[in-house]
Every structure is written in structure tokens, then in C-alpha cells.
Amino acid sequence: MPLDNREINQLLQSLRANPYRLYVVETPHTGYLREFLVKEGDEVTGPSGKWMERPGSPLFVLERERNPKTIRAKISGEVAKVRRELEGKFVEAYQPVLEIRHTLTQKEIIAELLRKTLHIVTAPERARYFLAPDLAKRIEKEGEGRVVVKPGEELVIMSFMKRETPIVHQGEPMVVFRLFFSRGQMVEQGEPLLGLCLEKERPYVEKLIARVKEEWPV
Amino acid sequence: MRELQRHLADLIDRVLYLQDIKGEDWGGSSYLLEDLRRLKERIFELSEREFLDILKSLENRLEILEDRAARSLTPYEIVRITRNPQRFTLLDILENVYDSYTELGGEGENNVDPAVICARATISRRVGGKLHLHQVIVIGHEKGHGEEFRNGGSAKPWGNEKALRYMRVAETEGIPIHFYIFTPGAYPIEDYPGAAQQIARNLYFMSKLRVPTVAFISEGGSGGAEAIGLADIRLMASRGYYSVISPEGAAAIEGKLKEGERPSRELVEFCARQLKITAEDNLRLGTIDRIVPEPPLGARRNDYQFFKRLRYEMLRATDEVVLKTKSLKAFRSYALRRQKEEENPPDEFDVYVRWELSEVEIEKLLDLRSRKYREMSAHVLGRKKCRFRGYFEKTQDVGMRLYHDLRYGVLKQGQKMIQRVMEDLSGEGVVLLKQLTEPLKSAYDLLAARPKRTRPKVVSGEAAPEEATELYVSPLALEDRTVTCPNAEKHGCPDIWVPDLYGEFCGVCPNCGHHFPLEYEWYLRNIFDAGSIKEFNAHIASGNPLGFEGYDQKLEAAKKRTGRQSALISFQARIGGISLIVAMLIADFRQGTVGVAEGEKFIQACDRARITKRPFLAYIHTTGGIRIHEGTLGVVQMPRCTMAVREYIDAGGLYLVVYDNNSYAGPVASFLGCSPYQFAIRSTRIGFAGPRVIRETTGEDIPPDYHSAENALRRGHIQGIWDRRELRKKLYEALLTMGGKNLYYR
């Protein structure tokens, strides 16, 4: 997958111009919108805690069949575009009520960029994963983001119930840019394992990350 | 001069200790400390004579101050004495009271649980110039003098398990056990074997431990103390405390504080006063037997006089336990002599008492222990002694016992014996016949086309109980509205219309199976056969035995609201024709907390089940633990009720526990947790301490489903999870499978 510089630049520019993501909060079902518990400009937080056990900030109360339900924020950010005119009125399901402007963090932006720029190898099954011994040795010697893998070379070994299956690299020779798992970690199906990129693109990606780290607050 | 220097350092230590207890600027102690420090600086400027004079005058001042402090000690200051790092610990006792000891199950930091120490020790007594050695097992908490790994004497579940293991060793070897309680409370984690479950197992075992046991309490923190506290004689240090909850914990509850807030000193002092935690209070309440006198401001690790006294007390207490099992006369004369020695214990004993017991004496020991705990705290119920009623009740009891012994004991036993013989005979007969008929049968099978297979016949049929004809519907169902299931986000449950939910669905979400709480009447009406419930002991009422300020009103309000006198309902009922005794703790009355009245009712229900040879069901609608307003009188319900349960099970009874809604703390850690068959209704939470207490004690956060029934099942604390809609059927099945043909006796 060749890297489209123009596209990346556009992405960066758009992120810089608007480092937010808008989440539209809709009504989950019909009912009377009894009251708003926030006003425009309020900071709200999403669910938090190690197990996401602390619920997010309350946004508004929706009542159906005498069952008042407090709708809570699913993400942290700033409240915008509160539709005051709906207060006390009957609303249909999936009607937008307000927006939460979520400021992207540095981590989220880097993740977004990497998703766009890297060739991601995902886990085909829920299993334990190990780096192929040869590759692990080379990475230890040369460092992460330096090792080039050729097509047909073993990347990762998937191990489940004593059954070991190698995952082989296909396509052009690429650099192993990022590891997303630790040795022997249980990875869910579809989760990323490795991020690869072409040798010539490597300096560019590195620069990109350095720039994001420099420009965005943590 | 060096000796004087040491003396000075000692005085400084004493002032610091005084400040630790009474607060830094109490009674001008800070000036005294300043003077002492100044003297230390000028030590080389003064002559020995001058130095000694000043030192003497300062010591006099300190003595006056200490005397004043000792006379004005408040209960909370006693708590501070008990927790002071300078106070003696179990290792100091092992060094100074016992002649030699070997630690078992770990040493120092390399330990199963460094907060619990088990040791084989020898303790000596001098009789007429001869030295006699006694073997004992010492089990207790080690607070340490500030070492972090000791965890302040807070025993983890596996620490209590270790204690139980060495109790078994003592029983095998037939040597007495000395328990030393120095714990602020058990470490409230649920990891296997589980704080509550392990304490329950310990209590269950200790209630019939076949060796003499003596417990000494310095810091008795509720359930943690009970884990090794069920002893034949309970001694208590005069500057120790024994309480249902730490004063800070009580203050947080009384002041309705939010997590992380610290209660004010006044509130803590108030709670410490109300909870009646000192040795004198406990002696008056009858929860301990004797006080071991300490120096006025508490014994410290180098108070050798105190250790001497403690050795004497431990020897005497063990003697007393042993002699009580022997002829009465010997004990009486011994006890009389003891009273004379109270003031000034002698170095030499006049007799050597062997601590080994014969089988008959062990039976006596267990009987005395049972009686001791059954009587403990019963006095506060204020039942008037009426000779006529006493006789009446006794005759009724004897009558009932005779009838049931005859009906289910002698007659049924005989019947069972005959049945067994018949079964054996017919079994033998079949084998004999088979040998004769087998050749014929195989020949027949060969000739006949196809041997017919018949279905095996069930010997004893288990019919399902009749469904209740008319379902009782909760008054909660009378509202026309919907509610949201708490799992709606996770499982996408639709809103449920209340009349459906509390009517047809029995309070269960039809999508995810979440159980909404229902009132206890629902269970009374829908689980048991119609009209079979006969309540007893409804008149036994909860009171305010400690005179806890402001509690009378709360209690009155609860009585008025529920129309009941206590949180426990005991009754006889039937399920599908099987008659059983039930004890039910209900949420509506003070959150199902257990006090003296509830404990007494539980014991009487248990005894009734034993006498009438019925299965016994404890249905826990909710329990919030031991009622803190009843202090240690509440705590002793743990050993008391466990004792009753043990006797019931030993007599052959079938004891089932079913948890619902929330079940926490003391009751789970004693008479409920000790049942071999514990079940929970779905969406129940079971545990030792709530999430907040765990967070505050361990400093670690716990997952939201930490106490869920599923996790309790995973940890092996319960044996199954039942659906509320099937409770009647499940109970019936359980009674038949666990009780089987032996439902009424073993």
C-alpha cells in the first residue's frame, strides 16, 4: 500500500484546523424530554474507572411511561448545540438533542495517523502471540522500526492450546514499525498486532509522529 | 552517669507515649518534654548530683501527669493505647510468658500470613520447688512494632485458615490452645478461602474443639477477633478494647460521611463511648470472663511485671477450664483460693493440674462451652423469671422432645433398620437366583428374537411440589409505569412495565434475568404451602441494651413501620408437604442486622428444628451484618448461633442457607457461612465487607461485580444460583436430594 502524502497532509491539516470530534447525542427512544442537566459550554466526562464503573455526567432526562431516565455522556468533552426548544416536548427516537465536542488527545491523534499510514497486521484468532524468534532477535539487536521483513518471512507465532501457527509476511519488503502486543499476550480477534511500513516511508512516519508529539498537548 | 542518661531517655519516651495517647498539648506535657530535652543538652555542664536532682523533680512531674492521665482516660484514648506501636505484641508474649516456643507455618516475613502466628510453646509452673512444663499451642495475631508486612494484625483469609489448621493439630495431640487476639479486624478480601467463609469455618470448628481453650483479647476487632475467639474462658487486657466496629467506622456510619471524609474527633469519641468497648464494659455485659490488670497507661513491650501477671492468668484460666470438667468440689476450692490471690499473684502454685482430658471430661468441656455461649448476652432480653412458666415451658419441651424422639427416633430408626436388612436380603437373593437362572435366561435370549429392554423403575419417586394455586402479587405491581433494567446498556433490555415485572415476571427481567428486589412477604406467600406458616417467638423484641443515644427512636420507627419486633422471623412451614423450620432475616427492619433478639430467635429456631427433627432453612432476605448499636453483645451472636448450628448439624440435621439481595459481614462470617449447603438467588451480592470498606482498608479498587453471586460461586462460597421463579421447586428438590430418605434424621 503506497503512502499517499497528499492525503496524509490533508488529514494533518484538517486535524490541526479542527482537533475535535463531534459526537451527536440522540434520544435512545421516544418520550418527553423533561429537562436538560447541562448547558452549552459545560465540560462533561465519559464513563471512567478501571472497569468503566463510574458512569458519565448526566446530560438530560427523558421520560417515557412515567419512567424518567437520565441520559449520560459516553465521552468527555464540551457540550455544544443544545436544542433547548425540545425541553418539555415529546421527542421521537434517534432525534439529535445535543453535541459533545471531544478534544482529541495526542494519543488519539497518533493512533488515528498510524491507522492511516501503516499496514496493520491483525490477529486472526483470539490467542497468545509471540514474535517469531528470528525477528525477535533482530529487533532486539537493531531496535524497533529498523528491521526489514521480506515476503515469506515469519512475523508472529500464534499459539493456542499448544497449537502453533506462524503468520507469514506477504507483499513488498517492509519495516516493522510498531509492536502492539507484548510477548505471550492474549490478543482478541481483529486487534492489531504489528504496524508495518515501506522502508522509504519510515522517516516520513517518524517525522509525522514527532511533529504531533511536539504540537499537541498531552 | 550512663545509667542516668538511660533513665532520661526513658523519661522522654514516657512523655512521648503520653502525648501519643492524650494529644500533644495535653496537661502541659509539651513543657515537660522541653525541660527534659533541655536537660539532655546540658548533660555535660551539670554535676552528677545536680543532674540527678533535676531528673528526680522532672520524674515527679511526669508521674503526677501520668496519674492524672490514667484517671481521665476516655474509651477512644484506650483505643489509642491499644494501637500504640510501643504496646506489647504476641511475639513479646511468646518471649516473656512462655519458656520456649517454635513458630509454625512461617517465620517473620516468610509466612503464609505474617499477621497470624501459630506456635508450639511450653509454659512452666513452679510447685513446691519443682518446675512443671505444660505444652500448649499458641495462636494469635501479631501486630508487630510498626513492620508493614504484619499488616497491623489484620489476618488474611489464608491466615485464618492456618489458624484452623493448627487448631486441628492441637486437637489431634490433645493439648490446650491459648488464643491471643490483637486485630483491628479481618482483612476484607474475598479471594479463596474468603474472609467471611473462613471465619465461619473457624467458628464452626472451634465450637466443638475437643481441647481446653483460653483467649486473651487486647485488640478485639469484630469478626477478625471472633475467628480465633470462641474459647472456654475469655480474658481481656484492662487497657484493651473489644468492639463490633472500629470507632472511626462507626463514626463514618453515624455521621453518614462520604467516602474519603474523615470523621471529627468528637464524633469518634462519642461513638467509642457509645459502643461500650472497654474491658470494664465488656465484663459488665458478660462478653468476657475476667480482666487482666495492666499498668494504668497500658502495658508496653518491656513491662515484665505485666508478663508475669499474664503468665499467672493464662495458667490459672487453663486450670480453671480443665478443673471445671472434673469434680465440682475440686474446682470450687480452687476458685475460692484464686479470689484471695487476686491482688497479689504468687510465684508458686500449690498444685499441679494436668491439662489432659479423658473422653468423659471432653464431653463435659464441650457441654460447658455450649452452655456458656448459649447464656452469653441472653440476659439483656430481660425475660422475667417466672417459676410457673419455666416449669410449663420445660414440660412442653420434654413432651415435644419425647414425641419426636419416639416418632422419628425410635420408631423410624427401627423401621429403617428392618428396611435395611430387607434390602440386603433381597440383594443377596437376587445374586443367588441369578446364578441359577442365568444359563436358562441366556438360552432363552438366544432363541427369542430380541431381548426386551425395560426402563429401570425408580425406587423412591420424587414428585414435584404442587404449584401454588394463587400467586401472591407484590403491592409494588400496583403502579402504572415502566422501569429500566440496570443491565439495559449491556444486554439491551427493553423497559419493563411494572405490573408485568412484579406480577407475572416475579420481579425478574425477562431479557437478562436480572432480579429486582421484592419484599419478604412475597416469599412467605409464594414459597411455602398455603396456610402452612406457623410463626413462633414473634414477641422477642430488639432493644437498646447499650443505651446508644438516639437509637431508641430509630428502633421504634422500624417496629412501627414493619409491625415486627425484630429483624428475624422464625416459623414452621411446609414446602410440597415437607415440614421445615425457617429463620428469615428481613431487609425492612434495620437492614436485617443481627442483634441479641435476632440471635436468640435464630438459636431457638435451630433448637426447635433439632428437637422436632425438621430440616432448617435460613432464608436471608438481606443482612447488613451485626447491629453496631448493640456493640459486642451483637458480636457474640456469631459464636452463639454457630454453636447452635453445629449442634443441630451434629445431631443429624439438614441446614440450608439461601441468600437474597445483599448479605454481608458478621452473619455470613458465622452461622450462615458455616452451612455446607449455601445457595443464592440470582443478582444477589454476598461478601464480608462492602466495596467502600475494602477500598479504605486495602487501598485497592475492586471491580463492580466483586460480590456478585456468580463470583461467590466461582470462589466456592456458595453451591448454586437459583432463579426466584423456581425457588419453591429448587428448595423442594434440595430438601429431597440433600435430605433424601433421611430427611428428618440421620
Side-chain angles (χ1 to χ4, degrees), chain A:
Chain A
M1 185 197 72
L3 196 62
D4 188 348
N5 282 349
R6 220 180 44 205
E7 205 179 292
I8 296 291
N9 276 345
Q10 259 174 10
L11 179 72
L12 253 181
Q13 252 165 24
S14 74
L15 280 174
R16 197 167 306 125
N18 187 17
Y20 304 107
R21 189 169 292 165
L22 280 183
Y23 287 87
V24 179
V25 182
E26 298 173 334
T27 49
H29 52 66
T30 56
Y32 286 92
L33 205 160
R34 285 297 171 210
E35 63 172 321
F36 280 103
L37 304 169
V38 284
K39 54 183 186 303
E40 267 172 42
D42 278 1
E43 283 291 326
V44 291
T45 52
S48 58
K50 199 169 164 188
W51 299 274
M52 292 292 150
E53 76 278 16
R54 276 189 286 276
S57 325
L59 298 176
F60 58 91
V61 180
L62 185 67
E63 187 181 317
R64 180 176 65 176
E65 298 272 346
R66 275 176 233 122
N67 177 20
K69 206 182 280 181
T70 307
I71 309 298
R72 291 168 179 278
K74 297 254 167 57
I75 192 135
S76 57
E78 195 186 302
V79 177
K81 285 194 192 160
V82 178
R83 292 181 62 191
R84 286 273 160 203
E85 71 275 14
L86 294 178
E87 195 156 2
K89 300 253 172 64
F90 181 82
V91 286
E92 292 292 339
Y94 310 119
Q95 211 168 327
V97 176
L98 53 88
E99 282 179 4
I100 296 176
R101 217 155 67 137
H102 171 68
T103 317
L104 292 172
T105 60
Q106 192 193 73
K107 230 175 164 180
E108 281 166 329
I109 286 180
I110 291 177
E112 176 90 31
L113 285 174
L114 287 182
R115 205 175 306 135
K116 289 266 156 113
T117 52
L118 295 183
H119 171 70
I120 304 282
V121 179
T122 54
E125 269 180 57
R126 181 178 183 272
R128 277 182 203 291
Y129 289 87
F130 298 85
L131 267 185
D134 280 351
L135 186 63
K137 229 180 261 170
R138 280 169 61 200
I139 288 180
E140 203 175 304
K141 209 165 143 194
E142 296 169 38
E144 208 177 311
R146 295 275 177 272
V147 181
V148 181
V149 281
K150 293 192 190 79
E153 221 173 292
E154 279 184 14
L155 287 176
V156 179
I157 291 173
M158 176 173 81
S159 162
F160 190 66
M161 300 296 287
K162 313 248 173 204
R163 176 171 57 86
E164 298 195 337
T165 320
I167 297 174
V168 178
H169 179 57
Q170 285 157 344
E172 291 176 72
M174 279 182 161
V175 175
V176 181
F177 192 81
R178 271 285 156 92
L179 299 178
F180 296 113
F181 68 103
S182 56
R183 200 186 129 81
Q185 192 191 333
M186 198 65 144
V187 183
E188 296 292 325
Q189 187 181 13
E191 291 292 307
L193 290 174
L194 300 175
L196 311 176
C197 68
L198 294 174
E199 172 84 63
K200 59 174 185 207
E201 287 169 2
R202 202 195 66 215
Y204 180 69
V205 178
E206 274 174 0
K207 214 155 81 187
L208 204 66
I209 292 173
R211 249 170 70 187
V212 172
K213 275 190 180 164
E214 224 170 73
E215 287 172 21
W216 263 277
V218 181

Side-chain angles (χ1 to χ4, degrees), chain B residues 444-655:
Chain B
Y444 174 78
D445 283 350
L446 206 68
L447 294 175
R450 200 155 45 110
K452 265 187 204 161
R453 286 242 172 121
T454 48
R455 213 169 235 251
K457 246 198 294 179
V458 181
V459 179
S460 60
E462 286 178 14
E466 270 177 45
E467 281 302 317
T469 43
E470 229 177 288
L471 203 69
Y472 159 87
V473 174
S474 161
L476 290 170
L478 297 176
E479 256 179 306
D480 174 27
R481 64 183 187 97
T482 60
V483 287
T484 312
C485 174
N487 297 333
E489 294 236 325
K490 205 161 135 201
H491 299 297
C493 311
D495 284 5
I496 317 161
W497 191 42
V498 165
D500 271 350
L501 175 65
Y502 292 110
E504 194 190 338
F505 302 159
C506 303
V508 179
C509 170
N511 186 48
C512 71
H514 173 80
H515 282 46
F516 287 77
L518 274 180
E519 73 281 7
Y520 71 92
E521 286 93 344
W522 189 93
Y523 295 92
L524 283 182
R525 305 279 285 273
N526 287 335
I527 302 306
F528 305 102
D529 292 357
S532 69
I533 294 178
K534 287 192 194 83
E535 195 178 339
F536 53 86
N537 284 337
H539 62 279
I540 297 181
S542 291
N544 184 6
L546 303 186
F548 203 103
E549 269 173 48
Y551 174 58
D552 279 321
Q553 291 87 313
K554 290 180 188 168
L555 195 62
E556 266 323 299
K559 284 181 184 171
K560 215 169 136 193
R561 202 181 57 246
T562 56
R564 300 208 164 266
Q565 295 295 316
S566 71
L568 191 126
I569 313 173
S570 52
F571 54 88
Q572 186 173 341
R574 282 195 308 273
I575 294 179
I578 299 173
S579 170
L580 71 165
I581 305 283
V582 186
M584 193 170 188
L585 276 171
I586 57 169
D588 310 41
F589 194 100
R590 307 285 317 149
Q591 283 304 310
T593 46
V594 173
V596 181
E598 288 78 13
E600 183 63 27
K601 282 178 83 170
F602 184 89
I603 291 171
Q604 290 200 14
C606 205
D607 285 351
R608 186 178 280 230
R610 181 165 51 93
I611 292 167
T612 58
K613 300 194 188 305
R614 294 275 181 269
F616 182 44
L617 167 71
Y619 170 77
I620 310 306
H621 185 240
T622 274
T623 179
I626 299 296
R627 196 168 296 158
I628 61 166
H629 302 93
E630 298 196 14
T632 43
L633 286 173
V635 179
V636 294
Q637 303 313 313
M638 290 171 65
R640 283 186 78 210
C641 297
T642 313
M643 181 75 80
V645 166
R646 174 78 191 245
E647 280 164 12
Y648 170 67
I649 294 179
D650 282 356
L654 170 64
Y655 177 44

Side-chain angles (χ1 to χ4, degrees), chain B residues 25-81:
Chain B
D25 43 359
W26 180 81
S29 59
S30 47
Y31 299 117
L32 182 60
L33 187 65
E34 221 168 275
D35 289 348
L36 281 166
R37 286 200 171 132
R38 209 170 298 139
L39 181 66
K40 196 177 171 188
E41 281 164 18
R42 291 172 56 209
I43 194 158
F44 298 108
E45 298 167 19
L46 300 168
S47 71
E48 198 163 323
R49 182 95 214 158
E50 284 169 327
F51 186 80
L52 189 66
D53 285 345
I54 301 174
L55 197 66
K56 269 267 143 59
S57 76
L58 287 175
E59 190 175 6
N60 274 342
R61 263 171 72 192
L62 177 60
E63 268 165 13
I64 294 167
L65 214 57
E66 281 183 338
D67 192 44
R68 241 177 70 206
R71 268 185 284 128
S72 65
L73 273 183
T74 65
Y76 187 59
E77 280 158 4
I78 289 182
V79 173
R80 290 165 76 109
I81 290 181

Side-chain angles (χ1 to χ4, degrees), chain B residues 167-417:
Chain B
M167 284 180 218
R168 288 215 171 90
V169 172
E171 190 178 68
T172 313
E173 299 183 3
I175 54 177
I177 306 178
H178 289 171
F179 293 114
Y180 289 92
I181 298 165
F182 288 87
T183 184
Y187 200 69
I189 44 173
E190 298 295 335
D191 304 45
Y192 190 82
Q197 303 280 323
Q198 189 56 44
I199 295 174
R201 259 171 244 144
N202 281 21
L203 277 170
Y204 186 76
F205 187 74
M206 279 188 286
S207 61
K208 292 290 168 209
L209 188 56
R210 298 167 71 82
V211 289
T213 51
V214 177
F216 171 81
I217 303 172
S218 163
E219 181 175 17
S222 191
E226 290 308 324
I228 55 167
L230 199 161
D232 294 307
I233 284 191
R234 307 222 274 188
L235 307 177
M236 186 163 167
S238 66
R239 291 290 175 258
Y241 81 88
Y242 176 32
S243 170
V244 63
I245 187 171
S246 68
E248 293 86 354
I253 294 174
E254 277 295 294
K256 296 201 169 69
L257 298 183
K258 281 204 193 106
E259 193 169 341
E261 280 184 89
R262 289 182 71 82
S264 67
R265 170 87 190 233
E266 289 77 49
L267 190 60
V268 177
E269 288 268 8
F270 168 79
C271 287
R273 217 164 40 242
Q274 297 292 318
L275 286 171
K276 304 279 184 287
I277 58 178
T278 62
E280 286 81 19
D281 287 330
N282 275 302
L283 187 65
R284 205 178 54 247
L285 294 172
T287 51
I288 58 162
D289 298 287
R290 247 198 322 274
I291 297 176
V292 179
E294 279 183 73
L297 281 178
R300 280 180 276 165
R301 57 186 311 186
N302 48 8
D303 269 316
Y304 300 109
Q305 274 305 314
F306 169 72
F307 291 128
K308 205 178 131 201
R309 176 75 194 221
L310 184 59
R311 169 205 287 262
Y312 166 80
E313 292 283 351
M314 290 313 277
L315 281 168
R316 280 287 180 182
T318 320
D319 282 355
E320 197 179 317
V321 176
V322 171
L323 287 175
K324 264 187 190 170
T325 67
K326 302 191 190 273
S327 86
L328 205 62
K329 228 190 248 165
F331 170 64
R332 213 178 279 153
S333 62
Y334 187 81
L336 274 178
R337 238 178 298 137
R338 191 185 185 281
Q339 274 169 6
K340 272 187 266 164
E341 292 170 1
E342 193 80 29
E343 280 302 307
N344 207 2
D347 287 337
E348 270 203 21
F349 282 76
D350 1 279
V351 277
Y352 169 65
V353 183
R354 290 181 69 83
W355 287 353
E356 287 86 28
L357 298 181
S358 70
E359 278 303 313
V360 182
E361 286 160 355
I362 288 173
E363 288 311 316
K364 182 92 189 283
L365 175 82
L366 298 184
D367 188 44
L368 284 170
R369 193 184 298 158
S370 162
R371 221 179 294 165
K372 172 190 167 77
Y373 279 91
R374 275 164 180 274
E375 278 162 18
M376 203 181 268
S377 85
H379 59 92
V380 297
L381 287 172
R383 270 176 298 171
K384 280 182 212 112
K385 277 201 177 149
C386 166
R387 191 180 283 179
F388 176 70
R389 208 173 71 189
Y391 278 133
F392 180 70
E393 275 175 5
K394 215 171 254 176
T395 353
Q396 216 180 5
D397 264 11
V398 169
M400 205 148 85
R401 195 172 301 209
L402 257 176
Y403 168 73
H404 285 98
D405 277 355
L406 209 66
R407 172 71 183 81
Y408 299 109
V410 180
L411 293 184
K412 194 129 190 196
Q413 204 68 282
Q415 193 189 346
K416 204 173 158 190
M417 196 99 104

